[in-house]
Amino acid sequence: MSNKSSGGSWALTLFCIGVLMAALDNGIISAALTTINSSFDVSANWGAWGVTIYTLGLAISIPIVGKISDRYGRKKLFIVEVALFGLGSLLVALSPNFAFYIVARFIQAMGGGGIFIIGSSHVLSTFPVEKQGKALGILGGMNGIGAILGPNLGSVILDLTGNWHYLFLINVPIAVVLMILGIYKIQETKEPAVGKLDLLGTILLSLAVLSIMYGLTNIEGVSIIDSLLTPEVYGFLLAGIVLFAVLIVYNRSLEKRNGDPILPVSLLAHPTYLLTLLVGGLSGALLAAMIYIPAFTEQVLGIAAESSGYWMTPLALASGIGAGFGGALVDKKGPVFAVFLSGFITAIGFVLFPTWIDVKWQFIISSCVAGIGIGILLGAPLNILATERLQKDKGSALAGLSLVRQIGMTIAPTIYAGFIVRGFNQIPSLFQSDFGSILQKKMENADLSPEAMQEFQQLASTMSANGASADVDYEKIVEQIQDPTLKDVIQSSVDQITLMAAQDGYGGLFYSAMVIALIIVVLAIILKPIRNKGLQA
């Protein structure tokens, strides 16, 4: 193996470890939120800022690091980012109070946000074209596996140690090793810079991204429209849009003066890039659907809450396989075909959840299908499409793609949660329409004693006296039943009503994810002639 290829392998390995470390931390904290909140004696609403501030930090750092790494060198920025992430992790673990903890989480995010961008830019600048897809697929696989396995790994570490501080301390030695090896094993790459660093543009971009992302994180409740009408949402969204408009005008004037703007406006003039951004945002929405897999296994398949996170494993492994396959597919068939196939496979995977899954082995197969589909999209195809024909600003192009993916991941959970809430809101009407027939069928199949039948007649009289069945507290009634067989019959009938509500809610979630995947298929079809025309120009 030549020194050059050996150096490329070392660099890719180090970038993969860095990407996995940062991606894991984005979800690993969710397993310990309750414990962390208790240790600082803060409410759940305040405690959620541990996640929110990390999301905001990622959104701010992604576009800035992409540009700065192009300008000053990807090796330097990788080492700086890893150092920031390691320092932030140490400070989080040593936090004496909640305010210190929040600041430390922000430092963590500023370090973790740019590692994937830097690694992807390095691959596109140093690897031969015929090997870029495979390398980007591996990076994307690490990113997807980390994001999906984060909550699972967090639960394991917390169970083994009983101490949430280890969730973050574990990052410190990894960061130190990455920094040392990065200094000696990564080849420096950068692009020619023009003029001074765009400080004003950097400030405008940071404020714009911060405003929009903060506004998006304030969206909550069943109705997105109602949330959008609150000042905490529309005020920050409008401020962000205005700041972006000012930034674009400013950057246009800077480009005309041969300056080096933080946000190259010329990128937005390319139809291929704009469509790629749209697909990127939708891919973030698909990733967000994965958040609800543990809850689905718990509420629909009846898996214990403490074990539900482990059922993310098939999806995580499949997404890693899909990312590697997607990279090889890009090298052989091109990025547009990979995007098309990804959307098609993902749509099949998601439609299996509400239409086919009854038992655990069906869940595993469906998870693997969806995971492979999403995995194909994670790394290579969109990164290739975003940077094609670019001689410079590759980091900025990739940063824009990562930013819109982050926006998709922020908006989609509110939409998905709305389906689940609406499903469970149907429980009263389901009791009215279906409980009687369900209970009757179960009683016919049960071997009830005369005493149990007598007790049931008394219960029926009590429920009739209380009015409509929707107003009856069935859980309280079940607790009062003396006969164990009758108790099991009524409890299983109540559970079936809850299951029907859960199936309806999660069905809406997965059907909407299927529609998003099909939209990606359509966009790939639209993208093909546009890209071909651009390549021929």
Side-chain angles (χ1 to χ4, degrees), residues 151-321:
N152 192 351
L153 183 61
S155 297
V156 172
I157 295 175
L158 201 59
D159 288 342
L160 291 176
T161 65
N163 192 327
W164 67 265
H165 299 82
Y166 286 103
L167 297 176
F168 304 98
L169 282 175
I170 197 173
N171 293 327
V172 178
I174 299 174
V176 171
V177 172
L178 283 177
M179 289 168 59
I180 294 172
L181 291 178
I183 292 171
Y184 292 104
K185 297 296 185 179
I186 296 178
Q187 170 192 347
E188 183 62 281
T189 62
K190 59 182 178 180
E191 296 175 3
V194 180
K196 298 179 179 180
L197 179 65
D198 181 13
L199 182 59
L200 177 59
T202 302
I203 295 172
L204 286 172
L205 179 61
S206 300
L207 293 174
V209 171
L210 179 63
S211 295
I212 288 178
M213 291 303 296
Y214 182 71
L216 292 176
T217 58
N218 284 332
I219 296 177
E220 58 185 18
V222 178
S223 174
I224 296 179
I225 302 299
D226 291 342
S227 288
L228 288 173
L229 295 177
T230 60
E232 293 82 3
V233 176
Y234 75 75
F236 284 97
L237 292 180
L238 286 176
I241 292 171
V242 170
L243 286 168
F244 261 120
V246 172
L247 176 64
I248 290 174
V249 172
Y250 167 73
N251 281 351
R252 282 190 185 278
S253 66
L254 195 60
E255 284 183 341
K256 290 179 181 178
R257 300 196 305 270
N258 295 321
D260 187 23
I262 187 70
L263 179 67
V265 180
S266 56
L267 287 175
L268 302 178
H270 298 159
T272 299
Y273 184 68
L274 290 176
L275 281 173
T276 302
L277 289 182
L278 181 55
V279 175
L282 295 175
S283 73
L286 292 179
L287 279 173
M290 301 298 98
I291 298 172
Y292 297 93
I293 293 293
F296 172 82
T297 62
E298 181 183 345
Q299 296 172 354
V300 175
L301 296 181
I303 292 169
E306 59 270 18
S307 303
S308 60
Y310 299 122
W311 286 81
M312 292 284 283
T313 305
L315 186 109
L317 295 176
S319 68
I321 294 170

Side-chain angles (χ1 to χ4, degrees), residues 341-401:
L341 188 62
S342 168
F344 184 74
I345 294 175
T346 305
I348 293 174
F350 277 126
V351 80
L352 289 176
F353 277 81
T355 60
W356 186 55
I357 294 177
D358 288 317
V359 292
K360 294 173 184 176
W361 68 266
Q362 293 173 331
F363 167 81
I364 293 173
I365 292 175
S366 303
S367 294
C368 288
V369 174
I372 288 172
I374 291 174
I376 293 173
L377 201 60
L378 285 178
L382 296 184
N383 288 350
I384 294 289
L385 287 169
T387 56
E388 267 184 332
R389 300 175 62 219
L390 290 182
Q391 300 302 317
K392 63 175 186 174
D393 295 324
K394 290 181 180 178
S396 297
L398 293 174
L401 178 61

Side-chain angles (χ1 to χ4, degrees), residues 505-523:
Y506 284 100
L509 185 160
F510 291 121
Y511 278 126
S512 64
M514 178 201 70
V515 170
I516 291 171
L518 291 177
I519 292 173
I520 289 177
V521 171
V522 174
L523 289 175

